[in-house]
Structure formats: structure tokens, C-alpha cells
């Protein structure tokens, strides 16, 4: 019997060892796909050529006939990141307990470091959460505010940024101040002054978007942060529309908190987000969820969900590798190249009315426009039903305009096609 028991244990050990090799093989496959895609891009020493960007575009896949100008709503993963995510999922399911609880600890920290480098901050200031909404809830629920304290939220804030302050603070008697932003400001000061004039002795927080989702207006983060801190006011930033589209140095901006959905302009899987908290302000925060290990004093306590979406988290690291292969500065410059190319194409049209500030320091890869005399919903429907162009209709603030996103998979040929479609609708 002892001989049979030893034989059984030997065979069991061999079986377990076999299951361990499978995840390693899956990981290698995910890395190989990413390396292949990056090597294709390396064939172009000059990243300014349209051929280079057409190669980037080919690494994204959309449904047949769809021209995707709606990245500000929800981004797409390039094919190598899709494959990496699936490989990580297979790895996890090949040996669930190993990889959910400890097997990927080093890889998680590597991803954190890559994200920290993106924002020019320490990895000890980065938590890997689910999305921007979670980050805004984390801030709004954590801060110890008192009756009659004030939080400034301008009128263009996203609902997911306003709702947390409404539920966690306004219902306790904290006042939400809603100043009105200009739709087409000409200068940074025109925006900064709105926030400056809203501050009182009771103001504790300014909560604002980096880039508003309504008309693509980019707010002057550093100037607002400097002004707020001079008045002893914290700054919390909804960075969903900023990070990845434009270079974002959080050390230079000097906000206190910044939160991002990585599925937009970072082209990572859905359900993974980034939360930045300045080191000296982390003591103000409390986790939304507590589990074993809640005593951890580091920023990791804010992401302690026990079981969680680790394949998507690690694929965020792969998305950082993909982005770095192109280059943050290169992506930033391409964003403005497409913006300028588009604006040049429509500048002579009397029927296409731009509803986004044109200055480069006030807008970037989101452009919003109205077609004179046309209802925005009809324009949106015609763009899609006739031309396959997906966009977002914006009706608030009297915009009556479609929102267009110029992500890295958009080529100049795509822009030409878009402009032809807009002219066709305008004259039809």
C-alpha cells in the first residue's frame, strides 16, 4: 500500500508540474505577439510618415464598415493587447489559485512602475483600480469634510464625477459649487478665473476634468493647481480624457489626485483604471473595499479587492509597452497633427461650426462641431448609417454638435473620408 501511495503522489506531482508549464507557455505567446507588432513598427525609422501610422492602424481591428471616431466614449485595444489579455486569462484559468494569490506579484509591481513612468511619478503613488468612476468615488467618500464646507465642480463635469460628491458629501451638508465655464475661451486665464472667482474661505476641494467630455475643452491643469494650492484647496482631477492622448506629467501639474480609465486613450482592456495620489496626501484616503491585508499603509490598500481582474491589469502593462514602442511624445504630436489636418480641411466651410476651442493649449484630440441647420441626432445617424462613421452626439450646453475623436488608429485618409461625409451632410 505504501508503494502505491508513493506512486500516486509521484504521478500527482508530475501532473501539477505539467499544469505549471502551461501558464509559462501562454505568457511567452502573449509576449511574442506584442514583440511581433512592435517589430513591425520598428521597420519605420521615421515615425512621422503616414505609412507608419497606417501600420499602427492595421494593428487595430473594428467591425466591417465601421470607422471609429468615438474613442472618447470607449477606446479599443490593438490586436496584440487583445491577445495578451486572453493569454493572461488562460494562464490564470490553467492554475487559478497560484496566479490570483501571489503568482503574479512581481508582474503587478512591474505594471505599476510602467504606469508611474507614464506620469513621471513614483510607483508608490499609483494604485491600479477599475476605472475613473471608482477613483472619483474613492476621493469623494474619503475626505473628511464638514457642514458648509464647499467643493467646486464646474458645469461641464462628467456625471460620474458629480454623483460621488453628491452622494458622499452633499447629502451630509457639504455645498457643491457649480461655476459656469465658457464654451469657447480664448485664453487659459479665462478658465482659471472661473475657478478663482468661485473660491471662498470655505472651499476645500476643486474637482475637475483634465479634458471635458462635452466639447473637448482642455483645462489648464497646472495654473489651476497652483492657484488652488495658494488658497489651501485640494485638487482632484478626472483624467479620463487626458492621459494617453496628451503627455501628462503629474509631478509638473502638481494636482493632489488624478484618476483614469485606461480603456480610453491608453488602449488597455476594459475594467482597469489608474489612481494617482500625491504621497503626502495619501493619509486622507480610505479604501472603498476592505479585505485581509487592510492594515497595509501603502497606496496598495486602495486596490485590495482579494480576487480581481488580474489579466486586464497585466495587459495594462502590455499596453504601456505598446505605447512606449511608439513613444509618448510621438503620440502627443500625432494627436495635434490630426487635429490641425482636420481643422485645415474644414476651415473654409460656412456650414461646419467648430464648438471646441482651437488653441492647442485649450484642446487636442477631441473636436466637436455643429452642421448649420442640422439636428445633431440626425447628423450622428447619417454619419453612421450612410458612411459607417461612429461619433457621439452632444446636446448639452446648446452644442447641437457631434464629438469626434482622433486616436492613433485614425489616418489622414480616414480624416479625408470624414470631411467628405460632413460636407455631404451639410449640403444635402
Amino acid at each position: 500500500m505504501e508503494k502505491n501511495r508513493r506512486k500516486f503522489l509521484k504521478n500527482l506531482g508530475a501532473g501539477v508540474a505539467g499544469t505549471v508549464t502551461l501558464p509559462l507557455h501562454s505568457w511567452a505567446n502573449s509576449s511574442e505577439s506584442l514583440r511581433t507588432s512592435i517589430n513591425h513598427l520598428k521597420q519605420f525609422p521615421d515615425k512621422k510618415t503616414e505609412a507608419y501610422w497606417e501600420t499602427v492602424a492595421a494593428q487595430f481591428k473594428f467591425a466591417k464598415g465601421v470607422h471609429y471616431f468615438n474613442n472618447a466614449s470607449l477606446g479599443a485595444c490593438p490586436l496584440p493587447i487583445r491577445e495578451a489579455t486572453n493569454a493572461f486569462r488562460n494562464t490564470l484559468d490553467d492554475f487559478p489559485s497560484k496566479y490570483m494569490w501571489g503568482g503574479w506579484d512581481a508582474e503587478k509591481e512591474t505594471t505599476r512602475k510602467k504606469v508611474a513612468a507614464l506620469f513621471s511619478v513614483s510607483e508608490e503613488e499609483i494604485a491600479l483600480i477599475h476605472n475613473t468612476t471608482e477613483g472619483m468615488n474613492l476621493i469623494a467618500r474619503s475626505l473628511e469634510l464638514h457642514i458648509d464646507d464647499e467643493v467646486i465642480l464646474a458645469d461641464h463635469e462628467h456625471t460620474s464625477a458629480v454623483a460621488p460628491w453628491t452622494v458622499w458629501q452633499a447629502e451630509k451638508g457639504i455645498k457643491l459649487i457649480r461655476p459656469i465655464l465658457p464654451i469657447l475661451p480664448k485664453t487659459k486665464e479665462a478658465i482659471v478665473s472661473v475657478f478663482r472667482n468661485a473660491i471662498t474661505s470655505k472651499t476645500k476641494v476643486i474637482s475637475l476634468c483634465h479634458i471635458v467630455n462635452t466639447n473637448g475643452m482642455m483645462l489648464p491643469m497646472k495654473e489651476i493647481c497652483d492657484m488652488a494650492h495658494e488658497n489651501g484647496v485640494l485638487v482632484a482631477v478626472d483624467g479620463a480624457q487626458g492621459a494617453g492622448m496628451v503627455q501628462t506629467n503629474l509631478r509638473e501639474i502638481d494636482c493632489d489626485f488624478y484618476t483614469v480609465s485606461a480603456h480610453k486613450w491608453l488602449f488597455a482592456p476594459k475594467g482597469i483604471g489608474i489612481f494617482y495620489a500625491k504621497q503626502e496626501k495619501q493619509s486622507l484616503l480610505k479604501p472603498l473595499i476592505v479585505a485581509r491585508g487592510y492594515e497595509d499603509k501603502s497606496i496598495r490598500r486602495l486596490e485590495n479587492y482579494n480576487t480581481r481582474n488580474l489579466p486586464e491589469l497585466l495587459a495594462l502593462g502590455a499596453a504601456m509597452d505598446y505605447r512606449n514602442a511608439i513613444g509618448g511624445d510621438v503620440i502627443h504630436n500625432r494627436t495635434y497633427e490630426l487635429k490641425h489636418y482636420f481643422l485645415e480641411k474644414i476651415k473654409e466651410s460656412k456650414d461646419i461650426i467648430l464648438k471646441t476651442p482651437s488653441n492647442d493649449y485649450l484642446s487636442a484630440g477631441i473636436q466637436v462641431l455643429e452642421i448649420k441647420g442640422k439636428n445633431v441626432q440626425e447628423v450622428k445617424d447619417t454619419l453612421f448609417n450612410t458612411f459607417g462613421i461612429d461619433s457621439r452626439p452632444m446636446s448639452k450646453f446648446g452644442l447641437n454638435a457631434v464629438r469626434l475623436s482622433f486616436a492613433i488608429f485614425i489616418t489622414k485618409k480616414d480624416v479625408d473620408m470624414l470631411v467628405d461625409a460632413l460636407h455631404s451632410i451639410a449640403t444635402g
Side-chain angles (χ1 to χ4, degrees):
M1 181 173 292
E2 178 63 20
K3 182 177 180 181
N4 290 339
R5 186 181 74 86
R6 289 178 179 175
K7 183 177 180 180
F8 170 75
L9 293 175
K10 181 178 179 181
N11 289 338
L12 177 63
V16 171
T19 63
V20 173
T21 61
L22 288 174
L24 295 176
H25 179 65
S26 297
W27 195 301
N29 285 343
S30 69
S31 299
E32 182 59 34
S33 174
L34 184 58
R35 281 195 296 269
T36 299
S37 296
I38 290 173
N39 285 337
H40 285 162
L41 299 180
K42 286 182 178 179
Q43 296 175 6
F44 299 87
D46 184 359
K47 296 181 179 181
K48 294 181 180 180
T49 66
E50 201 59 21
Y52 175 79
W53 292 108
E54 288 172 358
T55 302
V56 171
Q59 294 179 350
F60 288 78
K61 181 183 178 182
F62 297 97
K64 185 177 180 181
V66 170
H67 303 279
Y68 197 67
F69 283 85
N70 198 13
N71 199 81
S73 290
L74 193 64
C77 283
L79 292 173
I81 306 308
R82 293 194 203 184
E83 294 172 14
T85 308
N86 289 332
F88 291 135
R89 287 176 184 147
N90 290 335
T91 297
L92 179 61
D93 284 321
D94 284 343
F95 200 160
S97 62
K98 173 181 173 63
Y99 287 97
M100 182 57 69
W101 296 307
W104 275 336
D105 281 355
E107 289 76 10
K108 285 164 61 178
E109 292 308 308
T110 297
T111 297
R112 192 188 313 278
K113 290 178 180 178
K114 291 174 182 178
V115 170
L118 168 71
F119 294 110
S120 302
V121 298
S122 165
E123 64 265 27
E124 297 304 320
E125 297 176 303
I126 294 292
L128 302 172
I129 58 172
H130 291 105
N131 54 30
T132 307
T133 302
E134 180 184 340
M136 297 309 299
N137 271 272
L138 202 161
I139 300 164
R141 190 173 186 180
S142 291
L143 297 183
E144 295 289 345
L145 303 181
H146 304 95
I147 290 177
D148 290 334
D149 282 347
E150 296 175 352
V151 176
I152 296 174
L153 298 116
D155 59 336
H156 282 256
E157 291 302 300
H158 193 280
T159 302
S160 292
V162 177
W165 292 107
T166 302
V167 172
W168 303 122
Q169 298 293 353
E171 292 182 1
K172 296 192 310 183
I174 282 71
K175 295 180 180 179
L176 303 186
I177 308 301
R178 306 300 308 276
I180 297 173
L181 292 173
I183 292 290
L184 292 172
K186 300 294 185 182
T187 65
K188 291 182 180 181
E189 177 56 26
I191 298 173
V192 176
S193 63
V194 171
F195 291 96
R196 182 187 294 111
N197 294 336
I199 290 178
T200 73
S201 60
K202 296 180 179 180
T203 305
K204 303 302 179 185
V205 185
I206 294 175
S207 181
L208 75 166
C209 292
H210 187 170
I211 297 175
V212 303
N213 80 308
T214 49
N215 75 330
M217 176 167 49
M218 183 160 57
L219 306 189
M221 288 293 102
K222 179 171 175 52
E223 290 82 358
I224 293 172
C225 289
D226 289 347
M227 180 273 298
H229 291 153
E230 288 171 3
N231 288 275
V233 175
L234 294 170
V235 181
V237 181
D238 170 350
Q241 300 294 1
M245 181 205 298
V246 295
Q247 287 286 64
T248 305
N249 184 324
L250 294 182
R251 190 70 68 219
E252 181 179 304
I253 289 172
D254 197 34
C255 58
D256 300 291
F257 311 110
Y258 191 97
T259 185
V260 175
S261 293
H263 59 246
K264 290 185 185 285
W265 299 90
L266 293 173
F267 311 110
K270 287 68 182 163
I272 189 69
I274 298 163
F275 184 82
Y276 161 80
K278 190 183 293 184
Q279 188 87 50
E280 56 266 33
K281 299 298 170 58
Q282 291 178 22
S283 62
L284 300 175
L285 301 173
K286 300 174 183 177
L288 290 172
I289 297 173
V290 292
R292 183 175 60 187
Y294 69 91
E295 304 94 339
D296 187 350
K297 300 300 182 184
S298 79
I299 198 168
R300 293 160 188 79
R301 73 186 187 280
L302 305 179
E303 61 181 48
N304 182 20
Y305 314 125
N306 200 2
T307 54
R308 66 163 304 177
N309 56 337
L310 289 181
E312 286 77 10
L313 187 155
L314 297 187
L316 170 61
M320 292 295 98
D321 291 339
Y322 184 80
R323 171 187 169 81
N324 291 338
I326 299 173
D329 285 337
V330 173
I331 292 173
H332 178 101
N333 293 337
R334 174 62 173 182
T335 299
Y336 281 100
E337 180 183 9
L338 289 175
K339 171 191 169 180
H340 297 157
Y341 185 78
F342 173 69
L343 295 184
E344 183 67 22
K345 289 278 185 177
I346 66 170
K347 71 177 184 179
E348 300 299 330
S349 175
K350 296 179 180 179
D351 297 315
I352 299 176
I353 305 168
L354 197 65
K355 296 294 186 76
T356 301
S358 58
N359 289 334
D360 282 352
Y361 52 80
L362 294 176
S363 74
I366 299 174
Q367 297 294 307
V368 178
L369 59 88
E370 177 182 10
I371 295 184
K372 188 176 180 179
K374 305 289 185 179
N375 175 270
V376 62
Q377 190 61 49
E378 294 177 3
V379 173
K380 184 260 190 286
D381 291 344
T382 302
L383 278 174
F384 186 74
N385 294 332
T386 303
F387 303 99
I389 296 170
D390 190 40
S391 62
R392 170 74 185 273
M394 306 303 296
S395 299
K396 292 180 66 176
F397 307 104
L399 290 173
N400 189 42
V402 289
R403 188 184 68 193
L404 303 164
S405 303
F406 297 97
I408 59 174
F409 49 76
I410 298 295
T411 66
K412 289 182 178 178
K413 290 179 182 177
D414 294 325
V415 175
D416 292 341
M417 180 270 301
L418 168 67
V419 172
D420 287 345
L422 293 173
H423 284 312
S424 175
I425 296 171
T427 57

